[in-house]
Amino acid sequence: MTMKPEDPAGPPVRRLPREESLGYQVNHLARLLERALRLRIEEYGVVPGQFAPLLALYEQEGFTQRELCERVQIEQPTMANTLQRMERDGLIHRVPDPHDRRQAKVLLSDRARELREPLIAAARDVNSLATRGLDAAEVAQLLSLIARSIENLASAGRS
C-alpha cells in the first residue's frame, strides 16, 4: 500500500491502489463482462439483468418470484421489475400456483425457449473471451477461488 504525503491536518492516509483491490478488480471485471454480454444478446431483445433469471428458468421452470430471488441472489423489488420487463418482452408468463393461488409460477415463453441456445452461446463466447490465454486448470482454479470468496462474504453476512 502506498502512503499519501503528510497532511498538516493529521497522519498520513493509507491508500489502496485499484490494482491491489479485489473489490475494484472484480467490479471492473463484472462491468466488462456485462458490457460484452450486452453486445451479444441485445439483438435478441434481452438485457443482462434478465440473463440470470433466464438461466435459472432454463435449468428448471416454475419457480415463484421469491424462489427465483433466492436462486439468483436478486432482491425482491429488483426481481419484480425484472419479471415485469421479461413479461412485457414476451420472455415469460406467470400462472397461478395450483397449490397456493396467492402465488404465481414463472414459466418461459416459446420465444424464450427458442432463444436458449443463442443466449447460452453468447455467454460461452464472453466467458471464452474473458479466459483467453488461460488453460482449463487455471479457469477451474479461478472459478474455485471466486466461489470461495463468494462463500466467505455470504457466510460473513449470515453471522
Side-chain angles (χ1 to χ4, degrees):
M1 268 188 220
T2 60
M3 300 285 282
K4 244 178 136 173
E6 288 289 330
D7 182 351
V13 178
R14 297 188 84 176
R15 291 188 313 120
L16 180 61
R18 291 177 307 191
E19 54 279 344
E20 294 176 19
S21 168
L22 177 63
Y24 179 87
Q25 294 296 330
V26 170
N27 186 281
H28 187 195
L29 175 61
R31 288 192 318 262
L32 291 171
L33 287 166
E34 182 178 341
R35 183 181 313 140
L37 183 63
R38 179 181 304 277
L39 291 171
R40 286 161 179 79
I41 65 175
E42 66 187 357
E43 70 183 272
Y44 303 108
V46 176
V47 296
Q50 297 169 333
F51 206 77
L54 277 173
L55 288 179
L57 291 167
Y58 287 149
E59 291 172 7
Q60 178 185 333
E61 285 189 67
F63 291 114
T64 64
Q65 179 176 313
R66 190 184 53 153
E67 291 167 336
L68 266 175
C69 288
E70 292 168 6
R71 186 87 168 210
V72 299
Q73 298 296 296
I74 294 176
E75 297 293 325
Q76 282 274 8
T78 303
M79 182 62 77
N81 290 335
T82 300
L83 291 177
Q84 282 178 338
R85 182 172 181 175
M86 291 173 74
E87 205 163 22
R88 181 200 72 199
D89 295 346
L91 295 169
I92 62 157
H93 60 277
R94 300 181 226 207
V95 297
D97 183 334
H99 304 293
D100 183 353
R101 304 268 275 158
R102 295 171 297 169
Q103 295 194 30
K105 298 287 188 175
V106 180
L107 301 175
L108 293 167
S109 68
D110 290 340
R111 176 175 177 263
R113 284 188 195 92
E114 291 168 6
L115 293 175
R116 179 183 179 140
E117 291 311 313
L119 292 178
I120 290 173
R124 284 192 176 118
D125 184 42
V126 171
N127 289 336
S128 293
L129 182 61
T131 57
R132 184 175 44 205
L134 302 178
D135 65 33
E138 289 170 321
V139 172
Q141 182 180 24
L142 176 62
L143 291 172
S144 174
L145 294 170
I146 290 170
R148 282 178 36 203
S149 293
I150 289 168
E151 181 52 36
N152 289 343
L153 291 172
S155 65
R158 291 190 292 259
S159 5

